């Protein structure tokens, strides 16, 4: 039976990835959230999904059996599961009849998985949650949601949020931008569990670095204010249809250049009803561009 596409709807919640999209480029956010334009799978993102699946499944084994050889042995099966759930991923290696590119790609996944064992010891970890879907509603009515790679809870009740990254650690000047996602999750966990996480930990498998941060309530209050300001800007753009592109060097990686005005394209007809902007004062006052991880422009005064 052919599925019927869901009609476009105004945004109703915010996740770390979609928040980052809007901060990077409001038009990109529109293309992904409202227009739902298709995007080609990438080798890097798919490898990240594969590695995440392997590290999640490894904890199904007893602690003593969580070894690097066992983890690497999980890769072929998890790749088959990915292909089964997303057949379009076969396009990644369509021009690889001998399987050489696929073998190299899987080999890089093995190296990333193996490097993890030099950063953490899974035989000493018993995660409370893996790939944990979280959702909460702020007092303002804004819903925050996302998926946390791993949540550890100490016997004393202290909570650690862990996220795996298959890329390299950012330069120190971009570390604050890299922590945005983690502070977002810390805010959600604080709302759900009534306890501020003791530690936020980013594990960079691409470079073998571990970035940690210990949040305090004031941090999360600032994050909540930023998210509310961001949501104000998203709602304004949704109601007026004014989604401005924000060109950066990341545009070279974007799948939507053909419909982007910055590249001579025309966006699709806006699928939602619009109203004239009665006033943008109060939203624009909170929107001051700064730099974030890997160079994207962030549409807030800092994170």
């Amino acid at each position: 039976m052919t599925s019927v596409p869901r009609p476009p709807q105004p945004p109703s919640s915010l996740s770390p990835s979609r928040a980052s999209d809007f901060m990077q480029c409001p038009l990109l956010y529109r293309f992904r959230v409202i227009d739902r334009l298709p995007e080609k799978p990438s080798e890097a993102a798919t490898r990240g999904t594969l590695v995440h699946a392997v590290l999640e499944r490894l904890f199904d084994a007893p602690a003593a059996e969580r070894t690097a050889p066992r983890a690497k042995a999980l890769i072929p099966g998890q790749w088959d599961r990915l292909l089964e759930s997303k057949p379009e991923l076969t396009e990644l290696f369509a021009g690889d009849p001998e399987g050489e590119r696929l073998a190299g790609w899987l080999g890089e996944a093995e190296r990333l998985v193996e490097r993890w064992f030099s950063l953490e010891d899974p035989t000493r970890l018993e995660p409370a949650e893996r790939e944990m879907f979280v959702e909460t509603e702020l007092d303002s009515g804004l819903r925050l949601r996302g998926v946390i790679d791993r949540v550890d809870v100490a016997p004393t009740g202290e909570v650690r949020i862990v996220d795996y990254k298959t890329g390299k650690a950012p330069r120190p000047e971009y570390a604050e931008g890299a922590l945005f996602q983690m502070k977002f999750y810390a805010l959600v966990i604080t709302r759900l569990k009534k306890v501020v996480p003791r530690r936020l930990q980013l594990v960079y498998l691409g470079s073998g670095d571990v970035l940690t941060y210990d949040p305090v309530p004031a941090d999360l209050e600032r994050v909540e204010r930023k998210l509310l300001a961001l949501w104000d800007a998203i709602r304004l753009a949704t109601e007026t249809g004014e989604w401005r592109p924000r060109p950066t060097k990341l545009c070279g990686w974007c799948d939507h250049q053909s419909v982007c005005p910055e590249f001579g394209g025309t966006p699709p007809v806006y699928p939602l009803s619009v109203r004239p902007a009665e006033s943008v004062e109060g939203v624009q006052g909170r929107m001051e561009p700064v730099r974030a991880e890997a160079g994207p422009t962030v549409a807030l005064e800092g994170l």
Side-chain angles (χ1 to χ4, degrees):
M1 182 174 63
T2 303
S3 60
V4 178
R6 186 164 57 92
Q9 299 288 334
S12 60
S13 63
L14 199 58
S15 68
S17 56
R18 297 293 79 83
S20 295
D21 285 346
F22 188 87
M23 290 188 290
Q24 176 185 323
C25 174
L27 187 58
L28 174 64
Y29 177 97
R30 176 202 150 170
F31 288 158
R32 285 178 167 170
V33 175
I34 296 178
D35 297 294
R36 299 193 197 95
L37 299 184
E39 297 182 347
K40 297 178 182 178
S42 74
E43 292 188 16
T46 304
R47 183 166 47 231
T49 301
L50 174 60
V51 170
H52 276 71
V54 168
L55 298 185
E56 179 191 4
R57 292 275 71 83
L58 181 65
F59 284 102
D60 290 340
E65 298 177 20
R66 297 171 194 160
T67 64
R70 183 185 182 98
K72 290 191 290 185
L74 292 172
I75 290 176
Q78 292 303 314
W79 174 231
D80 289 340
R81 289 185 62 185
L82 263 181
L83 288 175
E84 184 177 349
S85 63
K86 297 182 178 180
E88 65 273 16
L89 294 180
T90 57
E91 300 174 10
L92 288 172
F93 305 102
D96 184 35
E98 303 299 323
E100 294 180 359
R101 282 181 48 231
L102 175 59
W105 182 83
L106 291 172
E108 179 58 26
E110 287 188 1
R111 287 187 286 275
L112 292 171
V113 167
E114 190 168 29
R115 182 171 290 149
W116 177 60
F117 286 82
S118 68
L119 305 174
E120 294 191 289
D121 182 358
T123 66
R124 302 179 63 184
L125 297 171
E126 290 297 339
E129 301 286 349
R130 291 172 277 154
E131 295 296 314
M132 178 186 183
F133 175 78
V134 292
E135 183 174 36
T136 193
E137 185 171 304
L138 302 181
D139 296 338
S140 65
L142 171 59
R143 283 194 299 131
L144 305 179
R145 61 195 306 174
V147 178
I148 301 175
D149 289 348
R150 198 179 86 218
V151 177
D152 300 331
V153 179
T156 54
E158 295 177 316
V159 174
R160 177 172 63 182
I161 300 175
V162 181
D163 193 72
Y164 309 120
K165 300 294 185 185
T166 49
K168 297 180 180 180
R171 297 197 298 271
E173 60 266 34
Y174 296 134
E176 185 64 20
L179 284 169
F180 167 69
Q181 175 188 19
M182 304 302 286
K183 291 181 179 182
F184 182 110
Y185 288 143
L187 174 61
V188 175
I189 288 293
T190 300
R191 290 281 180 151
L192 294 176
K193 294 185 176 294
K194 311 303 180 185
V195 59
V196 176
R198 175 67 179 83
R199 173 153 295 179
L200 311 178
Q201 182 167 303
L202 284 161
V203 181
Y204 286 94
L205 304 178
S207 57
D209 296 298
V210 176
L211 175 63
T212 62
Y213 182 81
D214 297 340
V216 296
D219 288 330
L220 306 187
E221 292 170 4
R222 284 192 293 269
V223 169
E224 182 170 348
R225 290 197 298 270
K226 305 306 188 218
L227 290 172
L228 293 175
L230 179 62
W231 190 242
D232 281 345
I234 291 173
R235 287 194 302 180
L236 181 65
T238 302
E239 294 173 0
T240 63
E242 292 290 332
W243 301 91
R244 299 179 182 178
R246 183 175 294 123
T248 69
K249 59 185 179 181
L250 295 179
C251 292
W253 300 92
C254 184
D255 279 344
H256 308 303
Q257 292 183 12
S258 63
V259 290
C260 178
E262 292 295 322
F263 293 86
T266 302
V269 175
Y270 190 55
L272 303 177
S273 59
V274 299
R275 65 167 178 81
E278 298 172 357
S279 172
V280 295
E281 187 177 357
V283 173
Q284 287 186 338
R286 293 190 290 266
M287 303 281 287
E288 299 180 12
V290 299
R291 305 301 291 178
E293 177 188 6
T297 301
V298 176
L300 292 171
E301 70 269 24
L303 293 166

